[in-house]
Structure formats: C-alpha cells, structure tokens
Amino acid sequence: MYSGTAKDIRKGLTADCSKCFGLCCTALNILASNDFPINKPAGTPCMNLQSNYSCQIHSKLREEGFKGCTVFDCLGAGQMVSQVTFKGQSWREHPEIREKMFQLFPIMEQIHEMIAYTAEALSYDIPADLSAELQEKLEELQNLTELDAEDLLSLDLVVYRFTLNELLTAASDCIRKKVMGGLPRSKNITEYDYARADWMGRKATGKDLRAVDFRGALLIAADLRNTDLRAVNFIGADLRDADFSGADLSTSMFLTQMQMNSAKGDSTTKMPYYIQRPRHWIN
Ligand code: SF4
C-alpha cells in the first residue's frame, strides 16, 4: 500500500471496500440528517449492509437519501484495519474482536489522513531540510499502521497532528510564496491569509485566488465557479456544496476526496493528481 514515490503513496490511499468488513457502515455513529435518513448508533450495522459487507442500495444511494455515503471516504483505513490489524478476521465471524475493530477504525482513518497529507507535501518542490523532516514523519506514521490493536488504541494522535501541522504549513507557505512571486498582485503573504475565514455562500465567481490560504475556512455553498485556485491550501476547509464548476484546482494543496465529494463541480473542473472526480459531478 505504501510503496513507490510520495506521489504514488498519496494516490494509493483509496478505499477498497472489497477488502473491508463494512466498517464505515457499522462502526460509526450517524445521526439522521439530510445526508442520512436514519439514526445509526456506533457498532450497529446499517440496515442496508448485506452479509457479504456490500451495500444493497449502492447504485442509488443519493436517490434513497443516503447522500452522506457517497461523500464519506476512509482513505483506505477500512481495509488496513480489516486485513492488517485484524489479519482478515471479520467482526461477524469473530465477535470477540468486534468492539476493538470498531474503535480502531476512526483512529486508523486519522493516521491515513496524516499519511496522505505528509506524502502530498513530500511530492512538492520544498527545501531539503523540510523534506527530510517530512520523510521521517511519513515513516513514523506508516509504522503506526503496523501496530497491534492494543498499541493503536493507546496512541495520543493529538501529539502527531500538532507536529505535522507545523511541517505542512511550512511546505504550503513555501509553495505559495513561490507562486506569489510570479503574480501581479501583492507579494505580502498576509494578504493571502484566509485561514478560518467565513466565506459561507460567498460569491467569488471567476476570481484569481491563486496561493490563498484557506486553512480551516468555511466555504459552505460558496460560489467558486471558474476560479483559479492553483497553489491554494485547503487543509481542513469545509467545502460542502461549494461550487467548483470550471475551477482550476490542478495544483491545490491538501484537499481530501471527502472534501471534494461534499462539494459541487463538473467535467471541466481541473483536479489535483491525488483526487478523483466525484461520480455525482457528471451523472
Ligand atoms: S446505506 Fe449502504 S453505504 Fe451507506 S452506511 Fe448503509 S450500507 Fe453503508
């Protein structure tokens, strides 16, 4: 799963539901909403989960009101817990592992997300010392995925997140500054700082937003059609229903498949190498 270049590692972090025991459909606590029509407590299989761990309404999730299921993405954490941590034993056949398996799924999901960000940062043209620190972090995180269940459950992931965030911000600032240098706009980095900004419903159609920092920003239902979003940092931004039709995200940084699945776009949206165009954008 982790072989190849940083780019390969980032691209390889995709869910393979055929190797997972329906963990996202069982482990998580889901409250009824516009995205999921029923309350589903953690540890209880969804009523649509079949005995072979596939979904019986997979082809019509949105029509049936289960939009949230087409948005969720575990970055391959499901198959890692199922096949590596628990060595192919399922919670149905081995009820004794059930509770631990369900507790571990969101932990592995967070580790995979950190691996994804780290590998992505390593795929950029960044200074050697920063690259060395990120490489060390990547190996550390990859090693965590091999731990046994007990050790995984005792991890304090906040510590890992804290140190990683500093490295990711440094990598993003380095790329953004390089791009800013070639822009006709101000070169003052603070003027590109929209971290945690509230852009809910903001109309920004056609704007040149290159090199902006949208870390943790609220972009819910923002109109970002035909915008230029190259070298933008989107880490942790809320992109639900933001419209990226015709936008250029080709070199946007630290997006996740789940963020993009929750947004809108079309066949002309330019995507980063590590994101697949959501099926519902074109169907
Ligand atoms: S509707 Fe299907 S994909 Fe969604 S939680 Fe239930 S079984 Fe899983």
Side-chain angles (χ1 to χ4, degrees):
M1 177 178 280
Y2 301 126
S3 58
T5 64
K7 223 169 185 175
D8 293 334
I9 292 170
R10 177 64 189 89
K11 276 167 79 177
L13 286 163
T14 53
D16 181 350
C17 303
S18 70
K19 294 190 173 127
C20 173
F21 299 123
L23 295 185
C24 64
C25 310
T26 312
L28 305 179
N29 181 46
I30 311 177
L31 296 175
S33 68
N34 281 345
D35 292 342
F36 200 87
I38 51 165
N39 285 317
K40 192 206 77 59
T44 305
C46 169
M47 63 186 184
N48 293 318
L49 187 68
Q50 303 183 106
S51 57
N52 66 355
Y53 305 106
S54 65
C55 171
Q56 66 178 342
I57 58 164
H58 179 71
S59 60
K60 47 181 180 176
L61 282 163
R62 288 199 160 229
E63 297 90 309
E64 300 278 335
F66 291 80
K67 178 182 160 193
C69 302
T70 66
V71 169
F72 185 81
D73 177 66
C74 74
L75 286 160
Q79 67 254 31
M80 183 59 85
V81 171
S82 300
Q83 303 303 330
V84 177
T85 318
F86 289 96
K87 301 181 171 46
Q89 301 179 97
S90 77
W91 50 268
R92 277 204 170 112
E93 284 153 18
H94 297 271
E96 72 280 7
I97 62 169
R98 186 185 168 109
E99 201 177 325
K100 271 189 193 155
M101 200 174 212
F102 297 157
Q103 283 174 356
L104 261 183
F105 175 60
I107 291 172
M108 190 66 81
E109 210 189 322
Q110 289 183 64
I111 297 171
H112 272 217
E113 187 182 71
M114 288 191 275
I115 291 174
Y117 289 143
T118 311
E120 186 194 325
L122 276 166
S123 74
Y124 296 134
D125 182 15
I126 51 174
D129 55 343
L130 179 56
S131 183
E133 281 190 82
L134 282 161
Q135 185 60 47
E136 198 179 308
K137 184 60 74 180
L138 179 63
E139 283 161 21
E140 187 182 17
L141 291 165
Q142 287 174 324
N143 288 338
L144 292 186
T145 65
E146 309 280 339
L147 294 175
D148 64 24
E150 295 296 341
D151 287 342
L152 278 162
L153 285 170
S154 67
L155 289 174
D156 182 359
L157 292 182
V158 175
V159 176
Y160 291 91
R161 275 204 180 275
F162 186 74
T163 50
L164 180 60
N165 279 346
E166 290 184 352
L167 298 177
L168 297 178
T169 303
S172 145
D173 285 353
C174 170
I175 300 301
R176 290 171 49 240
K177 276 182 195 158
K178 274 189 210 168
V179 172
M180 278 176 221
L183 296 181
R185 288 184 272 149
S186 162
K187 307 289 182 280
N188 183 350
I189 196 163
T190 58
E191 292 184 27
Y192 294 75
D193 185 4
Y194 291 91
R196 290 169 285 284
D198 184 351
W199 271 38
M200 273 178 72
R202 174 75 67 100
K203 298 219 175 308
T205 322
K207 285 211 178 331
D208 180 355
L209 296 168
R210 276 177 289 173
V212 160
D213 185 358
F214 273 135
R215 263 179 306 157
L218 285 180
L219 296 165
I220 298 168
D223 185 351
L224 297 165
R225 287 173 297 156
N226 303 314
T227 44
D228 192 341
L229 295 158
R230 286 175 287 170
V232 167
N233 181 356
F234 278 111
I235 201 163
D238 192 335
L239 306 182
R240 282 174 290 164
D241 291 324
D243 194 344
F244 291 101
S245 299
D248 189 348
L249 293 154
S250 58
T251 57
S252 298
M253 295 180 281
F254 304 131
L255 281 167
T256 63
Q257 191 65 50
M258 195 140 76
Q259 278 173 310
M260 294 320 289
N261 291 348
S262 75
K264 295 176 182 169
D266 64 12
S267 60
T268 67
T269 308
K270 291 187 181 143
M271 310 293 283
Y273 75 90
Y274 54 91
I275 298 287
Q276 291 171 9
R277 191 179 307 280
R279 258 189 301 173
H280 53 269
W281 283 13
I282 32 188
N283 290 338

